[in-house]
Amino acid sequence: KPPEFLYHGTATRFLESINQHGLIPRSRHYVHLSQDMPTAIAVGRRHGKPVVLKIEALRMYQQGFTFFQAENEVWLVRHIPTLFISET
Protein backbone atom coordinates (compact mmCIF):
# COMPACT_ATOMS: atom_id res chain seq x y z
CA LYS A 1 0.00 0.00 0.00
CA PRO A 2 1.63 3.27 -1.11
CA PRO A 3 1.63 6.57 0.78
CA GLU A 4 -0.96 9.19 -0.10
CA PHE A 5 1.36 10.92 -2.58
CA LEU A 6 4.39 9.87 -4.59
CA TYR A 7 6.49 11.94 -6.99
CA HIS A 8 7.80 11.51 -10.52
CA GLY A 9 10.72 13.54 -11.81
CA THR A 10 10.84 14.23 -15.52
CA ALA A 11 11.87 16.96 -17.95
CA THR A 12 9.58 19.76 -19.08
CA ARG A 13 9.90 18.60 -22.71
CA PHE A 14 7.88 15.45 -21.83
CA LEU A 15 4.93 17.29 -20.26
CA GLU A 16 2.84 17.52 -23.42
CA SER A 17 2.95 13.76 -23.93
CA ILE A 18 2.30 13.10 -20.22
CA ASN A 19 -0.70 15.44 -20.28
CA GLN A 20 -2.12 13.47 -23.23
CA HIS A 21 -1.27 9.88 -22.27
CA GLY A 22 -0.45 9.89 -18.56
CA LEU A 23 2.76 8.30 -17.36
CA ILE A 24 3.74 5.17 -19.23
CA PRO A 25 6.86 3.05 -18.70
CA ARG A 26 8.20 3.53 -22.23
CA SER A 27 11.36 1.34 -22.39
CA ARG A 28 10.94 0.11 -18.80
CA HIS A 29 8.46 -2.34 -17.31
CA TYR A 30 7.09 0.15 -14.77
CA VAL A 31 6.80 3.87 -14.06
CA HIS A 32 9.27 4.77 -11.29
CA LEU A 33 8.13 6.98 -8.41
CA SER A 34 9.93 8.60 -5.49
CA GLN A 35 8.72 9.15 -1.94
CA ASP A 36 10.19 12.66 -1.80
CA MET A 37 10.54 15.69 -4.03
CA PRO A 38 14.37 16.11 -3.83
CA THR A 39 14.87 12.63 -5.28
CA ALA A 40 12.32 13.32 -8.02
CA ILE A 41 14.07 16.60 -8.89
CA ALA A 42 17.41 14.79 -9.19
CA VAL A 43 15.84 12.22 -11.51
CA GLY A 44 14.25 14.95 -13.65
CA ARG A 45 17.59 16.75 -14.02
CA ARG A 46 19.03 13.71 -15.78
CA HIS A 47 16.58 14.31 -18.64
CA GLY A 48 16.69 18.10 -19.00
CA LYS A 49 14.98 20.98 -17.21
CA PRO A 50 13.34 19.18 -14.27
CA VAL A 51 9.71 19.20 -13.26
CA VAL A 52 8.15 17.16 -10.46
CA LEU A 53 4.74 15.56 -10.84
CA LYS A 54 2.66 14.73 -7.78
CA ILE A 55 0.88 11.39 -8.01
CA GLU A 56 -2.24 10.52 -6.00
CA ALA A 57 -0.89 7.07 -5.22
CA LEU A 58 -3.21 6.09 -2.39
CA ARG A 59 -6.29 7.03 -4.41
CA MET A 60 -4.97 4.96 -7.31
CA TYR A 61 -4.40 2.02 -4.97
CA GLN A 62 -7.93 2.35 -3.59
CA GLN A 63 -9.24 2.21 -7.15
CA GLY A 64 -7.44 -1.07 -7.88
CA PHE A 65 -4.00 -0.11 -9.18
CA THR A 66 -1.19 -2.39 -8.05
CA PHE A 67 1.99 -0.84 -6.64
CA PHE A 68 5.31 -2.50 -5.92
CA GLN A 69 8.20 -1.22 -3.85
CA ALA A 70 11.75 -2.01 -4.94
CA GLU A 71 14.58 -2.57 -2.45
CA ASN A 72 15.95 0.92 -3.20
CA GLU A 73 12.72 2.59 -1.94
CA VAL A 74 11.48 3.26 -5.48
CA TRP A 75 7.77 2.67 -6.00
CA LEU A 76 6.64 1.03 -9.24
CA VAL A 77 3.33 1.00 -11.11
CA ARG A 78 2.49 0.01 -14.69
CA HIS A 79 0.68 3.19 -15.79
CA ILE A 80 -0.60 6.42 -14.27
CA PRO A 81 -3.62 8.03 -15.95
CA THR A 82 -3.66 11.83 -16.16
CA LEU A 83 -6.50 11.94 -13.61
CA PHE A 84 -4.00 11.16 -10.82
CA ILE A 85 -1.22 13.56 -11.91
CA SER A 86 -0.62 17.19 -10.98
CA GLU A 87 2.40 19.48 -11.24
CA THR A 88 4.00 20.57 -7.99
Coordinates of all heavy atoms in Angstrom, one line a residue:
K1 N 0.9 -1.2 0.0 CA 0.0 0.0 0.0 C 0.9 1.2 0.0 O 1.7 1.4 0.9 CB -0.9 0.0 1.2 CG -1.8 1.1 1.4 CD -2.7 0.9 2.6 CE -3.6 2.1 2.8 NZ -4.4 2.0 4.0
P2 N 0.8 2.1 -1.0 CA 1.6 3.3 -1.1 C 1.2 4.4 -0.2 O 0.0 4.4 0.3 CB 1.5 3.7 -2.6 CG 0.1 3.3 -2.9 CD -0.2 2.0 -2.1
P3 N 2.0 5.4 0.0 CA 1.6 6.6 0.8 C 0.6 7.4 0.0 O 0.4 7.1 -1.2 CB 2.9 7.3 1.0 CG 3.8 6.9 -0.1 CD 3.4 5.5 -0.4
E4 N 0.1 8.4 0.6 CA -1.0 9.2 -0.1 C -0.4 9.8 -1.4 O -1.1 9.8 -2.4 CB -1.5 10.3 0.8 CG -2.6 11.1 0.2 CD -3.2 12.2 1.1 OE1 -2.6 12.4 2.2 OE2 -4.2 12.8 0.7
F5 N 0.8 10.3 -1.4 CA 1.4 10.9 -2.6 C 2.7 10.4 -2.9 O 3.5 10.1 -1.9 CB 1.5 12.4 -2.4 CG 0.2 13.1 -2.2 CD1 -0.2 13.6 -1.0 CD2 -0.7 13.2 -3.2 CE1 -1.4 14.3 -0.8 CE2 -2.0 13.9 -3.0 CZ -2.3 14.4 -1.8
L6 N 3.1 10.2 -4.1 CA 4.4 9.9 -4.6 C 4.7 10.9 -5.7 O 3.9 11.6 -6.1 CB 4.5 8.4 -5.1 CG 4.3 7.3 -4.1 CD1 4.1 6.0 -4.8 CD2 5.5 7.3 -3.2
Y7 N 6.0 10.9 -6.1 CA 6.5 11.9 -7.0 C 7.2 11.3 -8.2 O 7.9 10.3 -8.0 CB 7.4 12.9 -6.2 CG 6.7 13.5 -5.1 CD1 6.7 13.0 -3.8 CD2 5.9 14.7 -5.3 CE1 6.0 13.5 -2.7 CE2 5.1 15.2 -4.2 CZ 5.2 14.6 -3.0 OH 4.5 15.2 -1.9
H8 N 7.1 12.0 -9.3 CA 7.8 11.5 -10.5 C 8.6 12.7 -11.1 O 8.0 13.7 -11.4 CB 6.8 11.0 -11.5 CG 7.4 10.5 -12.8 ND1 8.0 9.3 -12.9 CD2 7.6 11.1 -14.0 CE1 8.5 9.1 -14.1 NE2 8.2 10.2 -14.8
G9 N 9.9 12.5 -11.2 CA 10.7 13.5 -11.8 C 10.9 13.3 -13.3 O 11.1 12.2 -13.7
T10 N 10.7 14.3 -14.1 CA 10.8 14.2 -15.5 C 11.3 15.6 -16.0 O 11.6 16.5 -15.3 CB 9.5 13.8 -16.2 OG1 9.7 13.5 -17.5 CG2 8.4 14.9 -16.0
A11 N 11.5 15.7 -17.3 CA 11.9 17.0 -18.0 C 10.7 17.7 -18.5 O 9.7 17.0 -19.0 CB 12.9 16.7 -19.0
T12 N 10.7 19.0 -18.6 CA 9.6 19.8 -19.1 C 9.2 19.4 -20.5 O 8.0 19.5 -20.9 CB 9.9 21.3 -19.0 OG1 11.1 21.5 -19.7 CG2 10.0 21.7 -17.6
R13 N 10.2 18.9 -21.3 CA 9.9 18.6 -22.7 C 9.0 17.4 -22.8 O 8.4 17.2 -23.9 CB 11.2 18.3 -23.5 CG 11.9 17.1 -22.9 CD 13.3 17.0 -23.6 NE 14.0 15.9 -22.9 CZ 15.0 15.3 -23.3 NH1 15.4 15.5 -24.5 NH2 15.5 14.3 -22.6
F14 N 8.8 16.6 -21.8 CA 7.9 15.4 -21.8 C 6.5 15.8 -21.4 O 5.6 14.9 -21.4 CB 8.5 14.3 -21.0 CG 9.8 13.8 -21.5 CD1 10.9 13.7 -20.6 CD2 10.0 13.4 -22.8 CE1 12.1 13.3 -21.0 CE2 11.2 13.0 -23.2 CZ 12.3 12.9 -22.3
L15 N 6.2 17.0 -20.9 CA 4.9 17.3 -20.3 C 3.8 17.2 -21.2 O 2.7 16.7 -20.9 CB 5.0 18.7 -19.6 CG 5.7 18.8 -18.3 CD1 5.7 20.2 -17.8 CD2 5.1 17.9 -17.3
E16 N 3.9 17.6 -22.5 CA 2.8 17.5 -23.4 C 2.4 16.1 -23.6 O 1.2 15.8 -23.6 CB 3.2 18.1 -24.8 CG 2.1 18.2 -25.8 CD 2.5 18.8 -27.1 OE1 3.4 19.7 -27.1 OE2 1.8 18.5 -28.1
S17 N 3.3 15.2 -23.8 CA 3.0 13.8 -23.9 C 2.3 13.2 -22.7 O 1.3 12.5 -22.7 CB 4.2 12.9 -24.3 OG 3.9 11.6 -24.3
I18 N 2.9 13.6 -21.5 CA 2.3 13.1 -20.2 C 0.9 13.6 -20.0 O 0.0 12.9 -19.6 CB 3.2 13.5 -19.1 CG1 4.5 12.8 -19.1 CG2 2.5 13.3 -17.7 CD1 5.6 13.3 -18.2
N19 N 0.6 14.9 -20.4 CA -0.7 15.4 -20.3 C -1.7 14.8 -21.2 O -2.9 14.8 -20.9 CB -0.7 16.9 -20.5 CG 0.0 17.7 -19.4 OD1 0.0 17.3 -18.3 ND2 0.6 18.9 -19.7
Q20 N -1.2 14.2 -22.3 CA -2.1 13.5 -23.2 C -2.3 12.0 -22.9 O -3.4 11.5 -23.0 CB -1.6 13.5 -24.6 CG -1.6 14.9 -25.3 CD -1.0 14.9 -26.7 OE1 -0.5 13.9 -27.1 NE2 -1.1 16.1 -27.3
H21 N -1.2 11.3 -22.4 CA -1.3 9.9 -22.3 C -1.1 9.4 -20.8 O -1.2 8.2 -20.6 CB -0.2 9.2 -23.1 CG -0.2 9.6 -24.6 ND1 -1.2 9.2 -25.4 CD2 0.6 10.5 -25.3 CE1 -1.0 9.7 -26.6 NE2 0.0 10.5 -26.6
G22 N -0.8 10.3 -19.9 CA -0.5 9.9 -18.6 C 1.0 9.4 -18.5 O 1.8 9.7 -19.5
L23 N 1.4 8.8 -17.5 CA 2.8 8.3 -17.4 C 2.8 6.8 -17.8 O 2.0 6.0 -17.2 CB 3.3 8.4 -15.9 CG 3.7 9.8 -15.5 CD1 3.9 9.9 -14.0 CD2 5.0 10.3 -16.2
I24 N 3.6 6.5 -18.7 CA 3.7 5.2 -19.2 C 5.2 4.8 -19.1 O 6.1 5.6 -19.1 CB 3.3 5.0 -20.7 CG1 4.0 6.0 -21.6 CG2 1.7 5.2 -20.8 CD1 3.6 5.9 -23.1
P25 N 5.5 3.5 -19.0 CA 6.9 3.0 -18.7 C 7.8 3.2 -19.9 O 9.0 3.2 -19.6 CB 6.7 1.6 -18.3 CG 5.4 1.2 -18.7 CD 4.5 2.4 -18.9
R26 N 7.4 3.4 -21.0 CA 8.2 3.5 -22.2 C 9.1 2.3 -22.4 O 8.6 1.2 -22.6 CB 8.9 4.9 -22.2 CG 8.0 6.0 -22.2 CD 8.6 7.4 -22.1 NE 9.6 7.7 -23.1 CZ 9.3 8.4 -24.2 NH1 8.0 8.8 -24.4 NH2 10.2 8.7 -25.1
S27 N 10.4 2.5 -22.2 CA 11.4 1.3 -22.4 C 11.5 0.5 -21.1 O 12.2 -0.5 -21.1 CB 12.7 1.9 -22.8 OG 13.3 2.7 -21.8
R28 N 10.9 0.9 -20.1 CA 10.9 0.1 -18.8 C 9.7 -0.7 -18.6 O 8.7 -0.6 -19.4 CB 11.1 1.1 -17.6 CG 12.4 1.8 -17.6 CD 12.4 2.8 -16.5 NE 13.8 3.3 -16.2 CZ 14.1 4.0 -15.2 NH1 13.2 4.4 -14.3 NH2 15.4 4.4 -15.1
H29 N 9.7 -1.5 -17.6 CA 8.5 -2.3 -17.3 C 7.4 -1.6 -16.5 O 6.3 -1.8 -16.5 CB 8.8 -3.6 -16.6 CG 9.7 -4.6 -17.4 ND1 9.1 -5.3 -18.5 CD2 11.0 -4.9 -17.4 CE1 10.1 -6.0 -19.0 NE2 11.2 -5.7 -18.4
Y30 N 7.9 -0.6 -15.7 CA 7.1 0.2 -14.8 C 7.5 1.6 -14.8 O 8.6 2.0 -15.1 CB 7.3 -0.3 -13.3 CG 6.9 -1.8 -13.1 CD1 7.8 -2.8 -13.1 CD2 5.5 -2.1 -12.9 CE1 7.4 -4.1 -12.9 CE2 5.1 -3.4 -12.7 CZ 6.1 -4.4 -12.7 OH 5.7 -5.7 -12.5
V31 N 6.5 2.5 -14.3 CA 6.8 3.9 -14.1 C 7.5 3.9 -12.7 O 7.0 3.3 -11.7 CB 5.5 4.7 -14.1 CG1 5.8 6.1 -13.6 CG2 4.8 4.6 -15.4
H32 N 8.5 4.7 -12.5 CA 9.3 4.8 -11.3 C 8.8 6.0 -10.5 O 8.8 7.1 -11.1 CB 10.8 4.8 -11.6 CG 11.3 3.5 -12.1 ND1 12.6 3.1 -11.8 CD2 10.8 2.6 -12.9 CE1 12.8 1.9 -12.4 NE2 11.7 1.6 -13.1
L33 N 8.6 5.9 -9.2 CA 8.1 7.0 -8.4 C 9.0 7.1 -7.2 O 9.5 6.1 -6.6 CB 6.7 6.8 -8.0 CG 5.7 6.6 -9.2 CD1 4.3 6.1 -8.6 CD2 5.5 7.9 -9.9
S34 N 9.1 8.3 -6.7 CA 9.9 8.6 -5.5 C 9.0 9.0 -4.3 O 7.9 9.5 -4.5 CB 10.9 9.8 -5.7 OG 11.7 9.5 -6.9
Q35 N 9.5 8.8 -3.1 CA 8.7 9.1 -1.9 C 8.9 10.6 -1.6 O 8.2 11.1 -0.8 CB 9.1 8.3 -0.7 CG 8.7 6.8 -0.9 CD 8.9 6.0 0.3 OE1 7.9 5.4 0.8 NE2 10.1 6.0 0.9
D36 N 9.9 11.3 -2.2 CA 10.2 12.7 -1.8 C 10.5 13.5 -3.0 O 11.0 13.0 -4.0 CB 11.3 12.7 -0.8 CG 12.6 12.1 -1.3 OD1 13.3 12.9 -2.0 OD2 12.9 11.0 -1.0
M37 N 10.3 14.8 -2.9 CA 10.5 15.7 -4.0 C 12.0 15.9 -4.4 O 12.3 15.9 -5.6 CB 9.9 17.0 -3.8 CG 8.4 17.0 -3.8 SD 7.5 18.5 -3.7 CE 8.2 19.5 -5.0
P38 N 13.0 16.0 -3.4 CA 14.4 16.1 -3.8 C 14.9 15.0 -4.7 O 15.6 15.2 -5.7 CB 15.1 16.1 -2.5 CG 14.1 16.7 -1.5 CD 12.8 16.1 -2.0
T39 N 14.5 13.8 -4.4 CA 14.9 12.6 -5.3 C 14.3 12.8 -6.7 O 14.9 12.6 -7.7 CB 14.4 11.3 -4.7 OG1 15.1 11.2 -3.4 CG2 14.9 10.1 -5.5
A40 N 13.0 13.1 -6.7 CA 12.3 13.3 -8.0 C 13.0 14.4 -8.8 O 13.1 14.3 -10.1 CB 10.8 13.6 -7.8
I41 N 13.4 15.5 -8.2 CA 14.1 16.6 -8.9 C 15.4 16.1 -9.5 O 15.7 16.4 -10.6 CB 14.3 17.8 -8.0 CG1 13.0 18.5 -7.6 CG2 15.3 18.8 -8.6 CD1 13.1 19.5 -6.5
A42 N 16.1 15.3 -8.7 CA 17.4 14.8 -9.2 C 17.2 13.9 -10.4 O 18.0 13.9 -11.4 CB 18.1 14.0 -8.1
V43 N 16.2 13.1 -10.4 CA 15.8 12.2 -11.5 C 15.5 13.1 -12.7 O 16.0 12.8 -13.8 CB 14.7 11.3 -11.2 CG1 14.2 10.5 -12.4 CG2 15.1 10.3 -10.1
G44 N 14.7 14.1 -12.5 CA 14.2 14.9 -13.6 C 15.4 15.7 -14.3 O 15.4 15.9 -15.5
R45 N 16.4 16.1 -13.5 CA 17.6 16.8 -14.0 C 18.4 15.9 -15.0 O 19.1 16.4 -15.9 CB 18.5 17.2 -12.9 CG 18.1 18.4 -12.2 CD 19.2 19.0 -11.4 NE 18.7 20.2 -10.8 CZ 18.5 20.3 -9.5 NH1 18.8 19.3 -8.7 NH2 18.0 21.4 -8.9
R46 N 18.3 14.6 -14.9 CA 19.0 13.7 -15.8 C 18.5 13.8 -17.2 O 19.1 13.4 -18.1 CB 19.0 12.3 -15.3 CG 19.8 12.0 -14.1 CD 19.8 10.5 -13.7 NE 18.9 10.3 -12.7 CZ 18.5 9.1 -12.3 NH1 18.9 8.0 -12.9 NH2 17.6 9.0 -11.3
H47 N 17.3 14.3 -17.3 CA 16.6 14.3 -18.6 C 16.4 15.7 -19.2 O 15.9 15.8 -20.3 CB 15.2 13.6 -18.5 CG 15.3 12.2 -18.0 ND1 15.8 11.2 -18.7 CD2 15.0 11.7 -16.7 CE1 15.7 10.1 -18.0 NE2 15.3 10.4 -16.8
G48 N 16.9 16.7 -18.5 CA 16.7 18.1 -19.0 C 16.2 19.0 -17.9 O 16.5 18.8 -16.7
K49 N 15.5 20.1 -18.2 CA 15.0 21.0 -17.2 C 13.9 20.2 -16.4 O 12.9 19.8 -16.9 CB 14.3 22.2 -17.9 CG 13.9 23.2 -16.9 CD 13.3 24.4 -17.6 CE 12.8 25.4 -16.5 NZ 12.1 26.5 -17.1
P50 N 14.2 20.1 -15.1 CA 13.3 19.2 -14.3 C 12.0 19.8 -13.9 O 11.8 21.0 -13.7 CB 14.2 18.9 -13.0 CG 15.0 20.2 -12.9 CD 15.3 20.6 -14.3
V51 N 11.0 18.9 -13.8 CA 9.7 19.2 -13.3 C 9.3 18.0 -12.4 O 9.7 16.9 -12.7 CB 8.7 19.5 -14.4 CG1 8.5 18.3 -15.3 CG2 7.4 20.0 -13.8
V52 N 8.6 18.2 -11.3 CA 8.1 17.2 -10.5 C 6.6 17.1 -10.6 O 5.9 18.0 -10.4 CB 8.6 17.4 -9.0 CG1 8.0 16.3 -8.1 CG2 10.1 17.4 -8.9
L53 N 6.2 15.8 -10.8 CA 4.7 15.6 -10.8 C 4.3 14.9 -9.5 O 5.0 14.0 -9.1 CB 4.4 14.7 -12.0 CG 4.9 15.2 -13.4 CD1 4.6 14.2 -14.5 CD2 4.2 16.5 -13.7
K54 N 3.2 15.3 -9.0 CA 2.7 14.7 -7.8 C 1.6 13.7 -8.2 O 0.7 14.0 -9.0 CB 2.0 15.8 -6.9 CG 1.5 15.4 -5.6 CD 1.0 16.6 -4.8 CE 0.5 16.3 -3.5 NZ 0.1 17.5 -2.8
I55 N 1.7 12.5 -7.6 CA 0.9 11.4 -8.0 C 0.0 11.0 -6.8 O 0.5 10.8 -5.7 CB 1.7 10.1 -8.4 CG1 2.8 10.5 -9.5 CG2 0.8 9.0 -8.9 CD1 2.3 11.1 -10.7
E56 N -1.3 10.9 -7.1 CA -2.2 10.5 -6.0 C -2.2 9.0 -5.9 O -3.1 8.3 -6.3 CB -3.6 11.0 -6.3 CG -3.8 12.5 -6.3 CD -5.2 12.9 -6.6 OE1 -6.1 12.7 -5.7 OE2 -5.5 13.4 -7.7
A57 N -1.1 8.5 -5.3 CA -0.9 7.1 -5.2 C -1.9 6.3 -4.4 O -2.4 5.2 -4.8 CB 0.5 6.8 -4.7
L58 N -2.3 6.8 -3.2 CA -3.2 6.1 -2.4 C -4.6 6.0 -3.1 O -5.2 4.9 -3.0 CB -3.3 6.8 -1.0 CG -4.2 6.1 0.0 CD1 -3.8 4.6 0.2 CD2 -4.3 6.8 1.3
R59 N -5.0 7.1 -3.7 CA -6.3 7.0 -4.4 C -6.3 6.0 -5.6 O -7.2 5.3 -5.8 CB -6.7 8.4 -4.9 CG -8.1 8.5 -5.4 CD -8.6 10.0 -5.5 NE -8.0 10.7 -6.6 CZ -8.6 10.9 -7.8 NH1 -9.8 10.4 -8.0 NH2 -8.0 11.7 -8.7
M60 N -5.1 6.0 -6.3 CA -5.0 5.0 -7.3 C -5.1 3.6 -6.7 O -5.8 2.7 -7.3 CB -3.6 5.1 -8.0 CG -3.5 6.3 -8.9 SD -1.9 6.4 -9.7 CE -1.9 4.8 -10.7
Y61 N -4.4 3.3 -5.6 CA -4.4 2.0 -5.0 C -5.8 1.6 -4.6 O -6.3 0.5 -4.8 CB -3.5 2.1 -3.8 CG -3.5 0.8 -2.9 CD1 -2.7 -0.3 -3.3 CD2 -4.2 0.8 -1.8 CE1 -2.7 -1.4 -2.5 CE2 -4.2 -0.4 -1.0 CZ -3.4 -1.5 -1.4 OH -3.4 -2.6 -0.6
Q62 N -6.6 2.6 -4.0 CA -7.9 2.4 -3.6 C -8.9 2.0 -4.8 O -9.9 1.4 -4.6 CB -8.5 3.6 -2.8 CG -7.8 3.7 -1.4 CD -8.1 5.1 -0.8 OE1 -8.4 6.0 -1.4 NE2 -7.9 5.1 0.5
Q63 N -8.4 2.5 -6.0 CA -9.2 2.2 -7.2 C -8.7 1.0 -7.9 O -9.1 0.7 -9.0 CB -9.3 3.4 -8.0 CG -10.1 4.6 -7.4 CD -10.3 5.8 -8.3 OE1 -10.2 5.7 -9.5 NE2 -10.6 6.9 -7.7
G64 N -7.8 0.2 -7.3 CA -7.4 -1.1 -7.9 C -6.1 -1.1 -8.6 O -5.7 -2.2 -9.1
F65 N -5.3 -0.1 -8.6 CA -4.0 -0.1 -9.2 C -3.0 -0.9 -8.2 O -3.1 -0.7 -7.0 CB -3.5 1.3 -9.4 CG -4.2 2.0 -10.6 CD1 -5.4 2.6 -10.4 CD2 -3.6 2.0 -11.8 CE1 -6.0 3.2 -11.5 CE2 -4.2 2.7 -12.9 CZ -5.4 3.3 -12.7
T66 N -2.2 -1.6 -8.8 CA -1.2 -2.4 -8.0 C 0.2 -1.7 -8.0 O 0.7 -1.3 -9.1 CB -1.0 -3.8 -8.7 OG1 -2.3 -4.4 -8.7 CG2 0.0 -4.6 -7.8
F67 N 0.7 -1.5 -6.8 CA 2.0 -0.8 -6.6 C 3.0 -1.9 -6.1 O 2.6 -2.8 -5.4 CB 1.9 0.3 -5.6 CG 1.2 1.6 -6.2 CD1 -0.1 1.7 -6.3 CD2 2.0 2.6 -6.6 CE1 -0.7 2.8 -6.8 CE2 1.4 3.8 -7.2 CZ 0.1 3.8 -7.3
F68 N 4.2 -1.7 -6.4 CA 5.3 -2.5 -5.9 C 6.4 -1.6 -5.4 O 6.5 -0.4 -5.8 CB 6.0 -3.3 -7.0 CG 5.0 -4.2 -7.8 CD1 4.4 -3.8 -9.0 CD2 4.6 -5.5 -7.3 CE1 3.5 -4.6 -9.6 CE2 3.7 -6.3 -8.0 CZ 3.2 -5.8 -9.1
Q69 N 7.1 -2.0 -4.4 CA 8.2 -1.2 -3.8 C 9.5 -2.0 -4.0 O 9.6 -3.1 -3.5 CB 8.0 -0.8 -2.4 CG 9.0 0.2 -1.9 CD 8.7 0.7 -0.5 OE1 8.0 0.1 0.3 NE2 9.1 1.9 -0.2
A70 N 10.4 -1.4 -4.7 CA 11.8 -2.0 -4.9 C 12.6 -1.9 -3.7 O 12.3 -1.0 -2.8 CB 12.4 -1.4 -6.1
E71 N 13.7 -2.6 -3.6 CA 14.6 -2.6 -2.5 C 15.2 -1.2 -2.2 O 15.5 -0.8 -1.1 CB 15.7 -3.6 -2.6 CG 15.2 -5.0 -2.5 CD 16.3 -6.0 -2.6 OE1 17.5 -5.7 -2.5 OE2 16.0 -7.2 -2.9
N72 N 15.3 -0.4 -3.3 CA 16.0 0.9 -3.2 C 14.9 2.0 -2.9 O 15.2 3.2 -3.1 CB 16.7 1.2 -4.5 CG 15.8 1.3 -5.7 OD1 14.6 1.0 -5.6 ND2 16.4 1.6 -6.8
E73 N 13.8 1.6 -2.3 CA 12.7 2.6 -1.9 C 11.9 3.2 -3.1 O 11.1 4.1 -2.9 CB 13.3 3.7 -1.1 CG 14.0 3.3 0.2 CD 13.0 2.6 1.2 OE1 11.9 3.1 1.4 OE2 13.4 1.6 1.8
V74 N 12.2 2.8 -4.3 CA 11.5 3.3 -5.5 C 10.2 2.5 -5.6 O 10.1 1.3 -5.4 CB 12.3 3.0 -6.8 CG1 11.5 3.4 -8.0 CG2 13.5 3.9 -6.8
W75 N 9.1 3.3 -5.8 CA 7.8 2.7 -6.0 C 7.5 2.5 -7.5 O 8.0 3.3 -8.3 CB 6.7 3.6 -5.4 CG 6.6 3.5 -3.9 CD1 7.4 4.3 -3.1 CD2 5.8 2.7 -3.1 NE1 7.1 3.9 -1.8 CE2 6.1 3.0 -1.8 CE3 4.9 1.7 -3.4 CZ2 5.5 2.3 -0.7 CZ3 4.2 1.1 -2.4 CH2 4.6 1.4 -1.1
L76 N 6.9 1.4 -7.8 CA 6.6 1.0 -9.2 C 5.2 0.8 -9.5 O 4.5 0.2 -8.7 CB 7.4 -0.3 -9.6 CG 8.9 -0.3 -9.2 CD1 9.4 -1.7 -9.3 CD2 9.7 0.7 -10.1
V77 N 4.7 1.2 -10.7 CA 3.3 1.0 -11.1 C 3.4 0.9 -12.6 O 4.2 1.6 -13.3 CB 2.4 2.1 -10.6 CG1 2.7 3.5 -11.2 CG2 0.9 1.7 -10.8
R78 N 2.4 0.2 -13.2 CA 2.5 0.0 -14.7 C 2.1 1.2 -15.5 O 2.6 1.5 -16.6 CB 1.6 -1.2 -15.1 CG 2.1 -2.5 -14.6 CD 1.7 -3.6 -15.5 NE 2.2 -4.9 -15.0 CZ 3.3 -5.4 -15.4 NH1 4.1 -4.8 -16.2 NH2 3.7 -6.6 -14.9
H79 N 1.2 2.0 -15.0 CA 0.7 3.2 -15.8 C 0.0 4.1 -14.8 O -0.6 3.7 -13.8 CB -0.3 2.7 -16.9 CG -1.0 3.8 -17.6 ND1 -2.4 4.1 -17.4 CD2 -0.6 4.7 -18.5 CE1 -2.7 5.1 -18.1 NE2 -1.7 5.5 -18.8
I80 N 0.1 5.4 -15.1 CA -0.6 6.4 -14.3 C -1.4 7.3 -15.2 O -0.9 8.1 -16.0 CB 0.4 7.3 -13.5 CG1 1.3 6.4 -12.6 CG2 -0.4 8.3 -12.6 CD1 2.4 7.1 -11.9
P81 N -2.8 7.2 -15.1 CA -3.6 8.0 -15.9 C -3.5 9.5 -15.5 O -3.2 9.8 -14.4 CB -5.0 7.5 -15.7 CG -4.8 6.1 -15.2 CD -3.5 6.1 -14.4
T82 N -3.8 10.4 -16.4 CA -3.7 11.8 -16.2 C -4.5 12.3 -15.0 O -4.2 13.2 -14.3 CB -4.0 12.7 -17.4 OG1 -5.4 12.3 -17.8 CG2 -3.1 12.4 -18.6
L83 N -5.6 11.6 -14.7 CA -6.5 11.9 -13.6 C -5.8 12.0 -12.3 O -6.2 12.8 -11.4 CB -7.6 10.9 -13.6 CG -8.6 10.9 -12.4 CD1 -9.5 12.1 -12.5 CD2 -9.4 9.6 -12.4
F84 N -4.7 11.3 -12.1 CA -4.0 11.2 -10.8 C -2.7 12.0 -10.8 O -1.9 11.9 -9.8 CB -3.7 9.7 -10.5 CG -4.9 8.8 -10.5 CD1 -5.2 8.0 -11.6 CD2 -5.7 8.8 -9.4 CE1 -6.3 7.2 -11.5 CE2 -6.8 7.9 -9.3 CZ -7.1 7.1 -10.4
I85 N -2.5 12.8 -11.8 CA -1.2 13.6 -11.9 C -1.5 15.1 -11.8 O -2.4 15.6 -12.4 CB -0.6 13.3 -13.3 CG1 -0.3 11.8 -13.5 CG2 0.7 14.1 -13.4 CD1 0.1 11.4 -14.9
S86 N -0.6 15.7 -11.0 CA -0.6 17.2 -11.0 C 0.8 17.7 -10.9 O 1.7 17.0 -10.4 CB -1.5 17.7 -9.8 OG -0.9 17.3 -8.6
E87 N 1.1 18.9 -11.4 CA 2.4 19.5 -11.2 C 2.5 20.1 -9.9 O 1.6 20.7 -9.3 CB 2.6 20.5 -12.3 CG 2.9 20.0 -13.7 CD 3.3 21.0 -14.7 OE1 4.2 21.8 -14.4 OE2 2.6 21.1 -15.7
T88 N 3.8 20.0 -9.3 CA 4.0 20.6 -8.0 C 4.4 22.0 -8.1 O 4.8 22.5 -9.2 CB 5.1 19.8 -7.2 OG1 6.3 19.8 -8.0 CG2 4.6 18.4 -6.9

